[in-house]
Amino acid sequence: QVQFVESGGGLVQPGGSLRLSCAASGFTFSNDGMSWYRQAPGKEREVVATITSGDSTYYAGSVKGRFTISRDNTKNTLFLQMDSLKPEDTAVYYCNQSPRRSAAWGQGTQVTVSS
């Protein structure tokens, strides 16, 4: 079945960096677009960044220029490089197919930006 395992979150000071990873399985990773999502307390889950099967990338306005999405099809792994982090980036981050093809979600990885 489709599975996602996110990792790499943590506590970081404003202006700092983190690199998130997502190990995907249960589908042909290289054939699908992939997205990073995040959900902050009391808010709906939102798309942060998307990468297509052809490696085109798209970003939410709030993270453009600070975050970079990439993928390694040989390892079925998705990455999110997050630089110049702000307190408003605090959230649980998830990865998923784009467009989504199942109800599966991983456990997410917590990112907390605070001094």
Side-chain angles (χ1 to χ4, degrees):
Q1 70 275 27
V2 174
Q3 289 187 325
F4 306 101
V5 179
E6 300 92 348
S7 62
L11 173 63
V12 63
Q13 292 186 343
S17 298
L18 283 174
R19 189 188 195 214
L20 307 184
S21 298
C22 164
S25 60
F27 62 100
T28 305
F29 182 79
S30 59
N31 286 354
D32 278 358
M34 293 291 297
S35 288
W36 282 99
Y37 300 75
R38 68 184 179 188
Q39 187 166 20
K43 296 188 177 181
E44 292 191 355
R45 196 168 299 183
E46 62 175 352
V47 176
V48 172
T50 297
I51 185 167
T52 69
S53 57
D55 286 343
S56 294
T57 57
Y58 304 90
Y59 298 94
S62 59
V63 307
K64 196 169 186 179
R66 301 188 298 120
F67 289 12
T68 303
I69 188 172
S70 61
R71 64 194 298 163
D72 183 341
N73 291 338
T74 66
K75 297 181 179 179
N76 289 358
T77 302
L78 182 72
F79 302 101
L80 186 67
Q81 177 67 40
M82 306 188 296
D83 299 316
S84 302
L85 282 161
K86 304 176 180 180
E88 50 264 42
D89 295 319
T90 295
V92 179
Y93 284 72
Y94 303 86
C95 64
N96 213 309
Q97 295 162 294
S98 178
R100 287 180 55 210
R101 303 184 189 280
S102 76
W105 286 97
Q107 82 289 348
T109 187
Q110 175 71 49
V111 172
T112 303
V113 185
S114 175
S115 54

